[in-house]
Amino acid sequence: MSDPALDALMLPFADRRLAWPGAGALFLRAREGAALHAHAPRAALVCEQSFRPEYDALQRAGFSVRADGDDAFPLVLVLPPRQRDEARALLAEALARTSPGGTVVASMPNDAGARSGQADFEAQLGPASVLSKHKCRVFWATTAGADAGLAADWRALDAPRPILDGRWTSRPGVFAWDRIDPASALLAAQLPATLSGHGADLGAGWGFLSDQVLSRCPAVTALDVVEAERRALDCAHVNLQAHAERVALDFLWHDVTAGLPARYDFIVTNPPFHALRGEPRPELGRAFIAAAADALRPGGALWLVANRQLPYEEMFDARFASARLVAQQGGFKVVEAVRGR
């Protein structure tokens, strides 16, 4: 798929306004794409990415990739997200990971906050050089004029924090980070207390649905908490510790669409239907359903919530012995699908 922000990020290198340093470069929230292959020397680039599908794509493409780090580089590239606190913290992280006198380069789509992103960038690093193309902005500056105090304050903006009267821990940028998503709340309200055995929560986010399963279903003996965004999974780990003495918990940083590593008695999920960059991807939900069908034991049940208009019924008909509509409310539907024996 096209990636205009990545294309724009490579512009200063494509037209030789910037050069790759011999000591290497760091790419925060890195994404694989044609522009990266065309303009970034693989041997000189270290990629960091906390979203497992993008991490896996970079690894398959032969780039050096890891989830995080703390070392510094003379050049740091970054693709800030839309959520402003998270983006400010990431820009501050980029500055902290840049060697003295080094350069930070950032790119954002115009419709995802490029103007405010540039303002935040310049608040930390001073006046930036700017190019606009692909309906995006790329801006860069050296660390010579950086405001280290502001960067230190902003670096903590996406730290895990208490939400909802302190009952939960979450952080800016993860899905529904400061609230209970209404679709997940609807599914939780419909779950039967009879769920038992070894289950999984696919796309678990910061752990709300997992907590509801473990709180309401005393016969559950093990639960795999499966989430592609490591920043969310870290929060789920904190939020579910109260259940750890009674139930065997496993926290899997994993891309569900690649299949599941175990067999389950039941699965719950509120699958995504947008990709990392916000574009609609209804095939993601279908991939979650297929993965669940493959991983359920005979007679096992999938409990799923989705937007009412999403056409998942053909997947249920093809992959399950039976499926029933359990509830509809607020534009969402809850479905129970049972795998044949």
Side-chain angles (χ1 to χ4, degrees):
M1 297 182 66
S2 65
D3 191 337
L6 178 61
D7 295 342
L9 186 69
M10 293 295 110
L11 286 175
F13 304 97
D15 65 11
R16 303 183 187 277
R17 296 177 190 236
L18 291 174
W20 293 96
L26 173 67
F27 189 0
L28 298 176
R29 301 294 173 89
R31 298 200 291 257
E32 190 270 339
L36 195 64
H37 288 272
H39 302 295
R42 261 176 230 179
L45 186 65
V46 174
C47 299
E48 289 184 10
Q49 176 56 262
S50 61
F51 186 59
R52 192 64 196 241
E54 297 287 357
Y55 177 102
D56 290 343
L58 286 160
Q59 194 171 60
R60 287 193 299 269
F63 289 96
S64 173
V65 59
R66 60 196 186 188
D68 54 30
D70 58 8
D71 44 350
F73 293 78
L75 173 67
V76 176
L77 314 176
V78 59
L79 292 172
R82 180 188 296 266
Q83 210 283 335
R84 196 166 191 183
D85 280 351
E86 184 189 9
R88 283 177 164 176
L90 189 61
L91 289 172
E93 174 73 7
L95 176 57
R97 305 284 300 280
T98 306
S99 305
T103 301
V104 181
V105 188
S107 174
M108 297 180 72
N110 294 335
D111 62 1
R115 185 182 296 273
S116 60
Q118 181 186 337
D120 289 341
F121 182 94
E122 293 184 330
Q124 291 190 82
L125 286 111
S129 300
V130 183
L131 290 173
S132 294
K133 196 173 182 181
H134 309 300
K135 298 183 180 179
C136 297
R137 247 179 233 209
V138 55
F139 29 92
W140 67 94
T142 70
T143 62
D147 185 336
L150 179 63
D153 291 341
W154 281 5
R155 199 175 181 190
L157 286 176
D158 74 337
R161 66 190 68 176
I163 62 167
L164 300 174
D165 298 324
R167 182 180 176 189
W168 312 99
T169 293
S170 187
R171 65 196 306 176
V174 307
F175 175 68
W177 82 269
D178 59 352
R179 64 193 185 279
I180 295 173
D181 170 63
S184 294
L186 178 62
L187 176 56
Q190 303 300 321
L191 292 176
T194 54
L195 293 179
S196 62
H198 186 185
D201 179 1
L202 308 186
W206 52 260
F208 169 74
L209 265 178
S210 292
D211 173 80
Q212 297 300 292
V213 169
L214 297 171
S215 298
R216 299 175 184 214
C217 307
V220 172
T221 57
L223 187 70
D224 286 2
V225 183
V226 187
E227 172 55 45
E229 177 51 65
R230 184 165 163 171
R231 299 171 66 256
L233 190 65
D234 289 344
C235 295
H237 198 280
V238 173
N239 288 325
L240 299 175
Q241 282 311 296
H243 303 284
E245 290 188 5
R246 183 184 69 83
V247 178
L249 298 176
D250 199 2
F251 296 87
L252 305 180
W253 182 45
H254 183 70
D255 177 9
V256 171
T257 68
L260 295 169
R263 302 281 278 174
Y264 300 106
D265 300 303
F266 69 90
I267 290 172
V268 300
T269 186
N270 178 4
F273 57 94
H274 288 92
L276 182 63
R277 299 185 288 280
E279 64 271 25
R281 293 281 303 280
E283 69 270 21
L284 289 175
R286 291 192 286 270
F288 269 57
I289 294 169
D294 290 338
L296 281 167
R297 294 189 175 100
L302 167 66
W303 285 81
L304 172 143
V305 65
N307 280 24
R308 189 181 299 178
Q309 76 275 11
L310 289 173
Y312 294 155
E313 282 69 25
E314 73 278 9
M315 288 292 298
F316 296 130
D317 291 343
R319 301 301 305 273
F320 292 87
S322 65
R324 67 184 182 99
L325 180 64
V326 178
Q328 294 189 82
Q329 181 179 306
F332 303 109
K333 58 187 175 186
V334 173
V335 176
E336 180 198 23
V338 178
R339 186 180 177 192
R341 294 185 180 278

